[in-house]
Amino acid sequence: MLHRDIAARNFLVTHRAVIKLADFARARLVHDDDYQATSSELISVKWLAPEVLLHSRYSTSSDLWAAGVVIWEILGTVNVSAAFSLCSSQ
């Protein structure tokens, strides 16, 4: 399954600090790890892998790229040591 919309807005955090991925509206079930989207499809450019931007081609690799961008955003804006101490105190 390809999510195709992995972005910061689609990660939810529970009160027990469990992270869940949400919003599967654009997800597609594929059998060969490849999905060719139409070029007219509306997309969120910020999290997209280069092959999606250039060729509208999604794969598990493009989902992983998007997840990496989200992690980069989090690590770049959050005091990680404070976040870990908050989680361990619960």
Side-chain angles (χ1 to χ4, degrees):
M1 176 176 286
L2 302 178
H3 189 278
R4 299 190 324 127
D5 195 21
I6 295 179
R9 68 180 174 275
N10 291 329
F11 282 90
L12 308 175
V13 182
T14 69
H15 67 284
R16 294 190 175 160
V18 176
I19 300 169
K20 297 185 177 193
L21 181 59
D23 191 4
F24 285 81
R26 297 189 66 228
R28 296 291 182 269
L29 182 60
V30 296
H31 299 288
D32 59 357
D33 192 40
D34 190 43
Y35 178 77
Q36 183 69 44
T38 63
S39 58
S40 62
E41 191 173 66
L42 295 177
I43 54 176
S44 300
V45 175
K46 185 175 183 179
W47 297 276
L48 291 182
E51 64 270 19
V52 177
L53 290 170
L54 296 173
H55 308 291
S56 299
R57 183 164 302 193
Y58 291 87
S59 66
T60 53
S61 296
S62 60
D63 274 357
L64 184 59
W65 174 283
V69 173
V70 171
I71 292 168
W72 183 266
E73 287 179 310
I74 292 168
L75 294 178
T77 59
V78 172
N79 181 338
V80 176
S81 60
F84 279 117
S85 66
L86 176 65
C87 290
S88 63
S89 67
Q90 294 180 355

